[in-house]
Amino acid sequence: MRRPLIAGNWKMHFTVPEGLEYALQLRRDLEPYSALVDVVIMPPAVMLWEIANALRGCAIEVGAQNAGWEDQGPFTGEISPKMLAGWCHYLLIGHSERRQLFNETDEELNRKLHAGLRHRLKVILAVGETLEEYDAGRTAEVITRQLNAALYGVELRQATDLSIAYEPVWAIGTGKAATPDYANETMGLIRGLLQSPFGALASQIRILYGGSVTPANARSLLEQPEIDGGLVGGASLKPGEFTRIVQATAEVLQSPRV
Ligand code: PGA
């Protein structure tokens, strides 16, 4: 069975002192679950180093919400995977906010993904359909395109550093999570697509669900066989809620799956 991963995407929230204090609180609160559940928090880049140091020696890992693809150079405002290498564990690529608000293309995301893997970051690739695409019944087509484009040229040996986050765009920040069945079905499709580049290794890649995950729905989502964890936005900003999601994940592991 794949070990669950709960990822907290803080987006553009908290000042540096607030973020640091919160990370230290999570360090204390999440300790009881560390043997069962992997946890990564993804603070804004400006506080990432400070928080990584504050969490040193504990099981919580840190991730960047975004990075460019070059190692260095005249790219004002950008951070590079090379700068993150060696101390930052994860890199999120292709969040729908990056795709939609910052116009990131499949081709750019493929470059970012390669750069992240080259520097041995554990890359979480986010994919998902918009409401319009969902309504038009185009989910499978959109996910197939996003996955194939982003994973183009990735080698078999790199599969172990990869996770996928399925985030239907219509579920992000709306309070309307996908139903567990729908999420599970789409994530099954994703796992099938991963077989063509990665063969049997596809069964080891973690696929997370994201989009309005809360303590109330975490359990029913995580009980699904294809759901290996969550990418949590809004609820990751509230220490009590995030901890309850991690707790629910641990509880699902300890009870038989549906
Ligand atoms: P949400 O965000 O949990 O607030 O819906 C999820 C995400 O954007 O990753």
Side-chain angles (χ1 to χ4, degrees):
M1 190 193 208
R2 295 171 291 267
R3 192 177 151 89
L5 171 65
I6 300 295
N9 174 11
W10 291 7
K11 307 192 181 183
M12 199 175 73
H13 291 282
F14 301 132
T15 62
V16 177
E18 284 166 354
L20 188 59
E21 193 188 329
Y22 179 26
L24 290 170
Q25 181 177 349
L26 290 177
R27 184 183 174 129
R28 291 187 296 272
D29 294 352
L30 297 180
E31 173 58 33
Y33 313 106
S34 62
L36 290 172
V37 183
D38 287 343
V39 175
V40 53
I41 54 172
M42 297 188 283
V46 71
M47 61 190 84
L48 199 47
W49 169 256
E50 190 79 21
I51 289 178
N53 280 327
L55 295 177
R56 204 153 279 181
C58 92
I60 303 174
E61 296 189 295
V62 294
Q65 298 171 14
N66 177 40
W69 58 80
E70 299 284 357
D71 283 355
Q72 68 222 358
F75 303 100
T76 301
E78 199 71 303
I79 64 168
S80 80
K82 185 184 178 192
M83 295 169 181
L84 301 168
W87 59 272
C88 177
H89 312 98
Y90 282 83
L91 171 62
L92 176 62
I93 296 283
H95 190 280
S96 67
E97 286 151 19
R98 300 298 316 173
R99 292 177 189 264
Q100 295 193 323
L101 304 175
F102 300 96
N103 301 318
E104 293 189 1
T105 64
D106 284 326
E107 199 257 328
E108 286 169 343
L109 297 174
N110 175 251
R111 287 186 181 202
K112 290 181 175 211
L113 190 119
H114 277 283
L117 291 175
R118 194 169 66 243
H119 289 289
R120 295 310 309 265
L121 295 163
K122 293 185 259 187
V123 172
I124 302 176
L125 169 68
V127 297
E129 79 283 7
T130 63
L131 183 60
E132 203 179 28
E133 290 160 346
Y134 172 80
D135 284 342
R138 294 181 49 219
T139 299
E141 170 206 328
V142 169
I143 303 261
T144 305
R145 191 203 76 228
Q146 291 177 337
L147 266 186
N148 289 344
L151 296 179
Y152 182 75
V154 174
E155 293 171 31
L156 200 58
R157 65 180 169 83
Q158 296 177 306
T160 44
D161 285 337
L162 193 68
S163 313
I164 309 294
Y166 169 55
E167 298 204 302
V169 180
W170 44 268
I172 295 177
T174 58
K176 284 191 211 148
T179 62
D181 282 346
Y182 176 78
N184 189 61
E185 189 185 313
T186 314
M187 292 159 81
L189 169 88
I190 291 174
R191 194 168 303 283
L193 290 167
L194 292 172
Q195 271 163 10
S196 96
F198 302 125
L201 283 180
S203 66
Q204 290 176 34
I205 296 176
R206 290 190 285 204
I207 308 181
L208 318 181
Y209 168 79
S212 297
V213 177
T214 64
N217 63 21
R219 211 188 157 102
S220 60
L221 286 161
L222 284 149
E223 275 169 353
Q224 298 295 319
E226 291 295 354
I227 304 188
D228 303 319
L231 178 52
V232 186
S236 79
L237 304 175
K238 300 172 197 135
E241 293 201 6
F242 191 63
T243 300
R244 276 160 59 214
I245 291 170
V246 175
Q247 184 187 2
T249 309
E251 284 167 7
V252 168
L253 272 189
Q254 288 166 322
S255 52
R257 284 204 158 194
V258 285

